Amino acid sequence: MEGWRGAWYVPCLASLETLQELCRKENLRCKSIGITNRNLKSYEVEYLCDYKVDEGTEYYLVKWKGWPESSNTWEPLKNLKCPLLLQNFLSDKNEYLSRVKEGKALKVKNHVKALKPAVADYIVKKAKQRIALQRWKEELNRKKNHKGMILVENTVDLEGPPLDFYYINEYKPAPGINVINGITTGCECSDCPAEKCCPKEAGFLLAYNKRKKLKIQPGLPIYECNSYCRCGPDCPNRIVQKGTPYSLCIFRTNNGRGWGVKTLQKIKTNSFVMEYVGEVITSEEAERRGQLYDNQGNTYLFDLDYDSDEFTVDAARYGNVSHFVNHSCDPNLQVFNVFIDNLDLRLPRIALFSTRTIKAGEELTFDYQMKGSIDLTSDSADGLSPSRKRIRTVCKCGAVCCRGYLN
């Protein structure tokens, strides 16, 4: 919103639809938000709110796209040309009725059949949720920089997109922390890996085999070719830096674990799946935040303890798909430390690789206590920040070998 005579410029937090509703309500035109003389009075069904039968004719209460709810109108079924929205309406109605075990419409005066207010209210909330989740999915796919698509699904409850979460593709360092540091040269290989390739220079083996699958043991670092290397983008030692290759779905779990992530494609053993990214903060700041997160039951602090414990990744507000990956005591993902354009051992990138074949539709999980250690026992919580050792969080992973607690 622009202040009078350009004295102030305040970012507008209202959605496009809200602005369009205001324009139509006040009969105003604004090309920048798509309201012109041509479409000022146009009508498009956004969703259906209610249902009734009056004198033998079926009517639906219509919410018009870009119009305020005060402009909702009852329209006869024969006038509606929106089969998908009608299908959603009926599906949401049946879902609600099946949950409360009510199968009959409510009869009111004048022989008008109508839905109970609670049913109509649920249908509207479900329609708004569906729109919100669709917009969120579009936003996530605009922001992600990897090949795989991101889908969003909630068939469990009315929870919408998280209100205070911002999608990022790489670390967001706190002031004073440099996550791109230490690289001045790269390998001279024309066909990696050669004798002087990046892993060899760092004193380690190449992490991948000819099929670009992981071949090293947990606890060992991965050194990939970097931006100074002579090799091109098809180099077999460039895997993590290319991002998630699989299409994934953020979905609402049905057992109280909140959101989760499932793969929409088969993932073979020892394949790179995703990075764990977030804000990179000091351990002191992690201690402060951890006290707040403990009370909320959150577990987004990931200590970068490969070489020291100076820094922590906090994915609570800023993160990628990994923000939604749940814990399991019998996980199908394993944590590895990766070095690409930063050789600072205190600041590895965190990559998640498959430990076995994962079927399409299967949920992705990793062990929150694993933290890339070679032999971390189930009784150890060294991978957890000190703040999270104070309050024990009950584990709901359901694995046969479940330890009972996340920490």
Side-chain angles (χ1 to χ4, degrees), residues 52-59 110-113:
K52 68 179 180 181
V53 178
D54 191 357
E55 297 182 355
T57 301
E58 294 181 283
Y59 290 88
N110 301 323
H111 302 288
V112 177
K113 292 182 179 180

Side-chain angles (χ1 to χ4, degrees), residues 47 58 83 94 105 160 165 171 184 250 293 321 366 377 407:
Y47 56 86
E58 294 181 283
N94 292 336
F165 173 75
Y171 282 161
T184 56
I250 300 171
Y293 297 162
V321 177
F366 72 95
T377 67
N407 48 9

Side-chain angles (χ1 to χ4, degrees), residues 88-286:
N88 289 340
F89 181 93
L90 295 175
S91 175
D92 294 341
K93 182 195 72 173
N94 292 336
E95 179 183 317
Y96 180 87
L97 293 177
S98 66
R99 289 183 179 181
V100 298
K101 297 181 180 180
E102 292 180 12
K104 295 183 179 179
L106 176 67
K107 291 186 177 181
V108 297
K109 294 180 180 179
N110 301 323
H111 302 288
V112 177
K113 292 182 179 180
L115 296 178
K116 286 185 176 181
V119 182
D121 179 64
Y122 175 82
I123 290 172
V124 170
K125 288 179 178 178
K126 197 68 180 176
K128 290 181 177 179
Q129 178 203 50
R130 188 176 287 111
I131 292 170
L133 291 179
Q134 174 64 24
R135 290 175 184 161
W136 186 38
K137 184 191 80 170
E138 293 170 356
E139 177 190 354
L140 295 176
N141 284 284
R142 281 196 305 270
K143 292 183 176 179
K144 59 95 175 173
N145 64 358
H146 53 78
K147 179 181 177 181
M149 295 295 293
I150 303 174
L151 276 70
V152 178
E153 176 186 286
N154 186 353
T155 60
V156 175
D157 54 30
L158 292 170
E159 187 73 17
L163 298 177
D164 194 25
F165 173 75
Y166 306 92
Y167 194 94
I168 58 175
N169 292 291
E170 55 191 22
Y171 282 161
K172 178 181 174 64
I177 299 176
N178 187 3
V179 297
I180 301 179
N181 180 35
I183 291 289
T184 56
T185 59
C187 70
E188 298 293 327
C189 309
S190 57
D191 185 19
C192 297
E195 282 297 318
K196 294 293 184 178
C197 200
C198 297
K200 201 79 171 182
E201 285 291 300
F204 293 93
L205 297 174
L206 178 73
Y208 310 113
N209 61 25
K210 293 180 180 180
R211 292 173 287 119
K212 299 184 179 181
K213 298 295 185 289
L214 199 67
K215 67 178 184 180
I216 62 173
Q217 294 299 312
L220 295 176
I222 297 171
Y223 281 85
E224 292 197 356
C225 292
N226 60 67
S227 55
Y228 284 90
C229 293
R230 179 180 291 182
C231 55
D234 294 329
C235 168
N237 194 35
R238 297 181 185 271
I239 303 297
V240 171
Q241 60 194 264
K242 290 184 178 181
T244 301
Y246 305 102
S247 291
L248 306 174
C249 179
I250 300 171
F251 74 103
R252 195 71 176 169
T253 63
N254 59 8
N255 61 351
R257 293 179 298 128
W259 296 98
V261 178
K262 60 184 175 182
T263 177
L264 299 177
Q265 301 171 249
K266 178 182 176 180
I267 300 176
K268 295 182 179 180
T269 307
N270 295 326
S271 299
F272 169 65
V273 180
M274 70 180 77
E275 270 193 83
Y276 191 92
V277 303
E279 293 181 89
V280 179
I281 58 177
T282 63
S283 296
E284 291 77 11
E285 174 63 11

Side-chain angles (χ1 to χ4, degrees), residues 358-373:
I358 306 173
K359 298 178 182 178
E362 187 175 344
E363 183 175 1
L364 302 173
T365 58
F366 72 95
D367 188 338
Y368 288 1
Q369 292 186 25
M370 194 177 292
K371 302 300 183 186
S373 177

Side-chain angles (χ1 to χ4, degrees), residues 18-30:
T18 299
L19 294 174
Q20 290 176 340
E21 290 175 8
L22 289 172
C23 280
R24 289 196 166 106
K25 188 175 182 180
E26 300 297 330
N27 201 34
L28 300 173
R29 284 84 170 159
C30 181

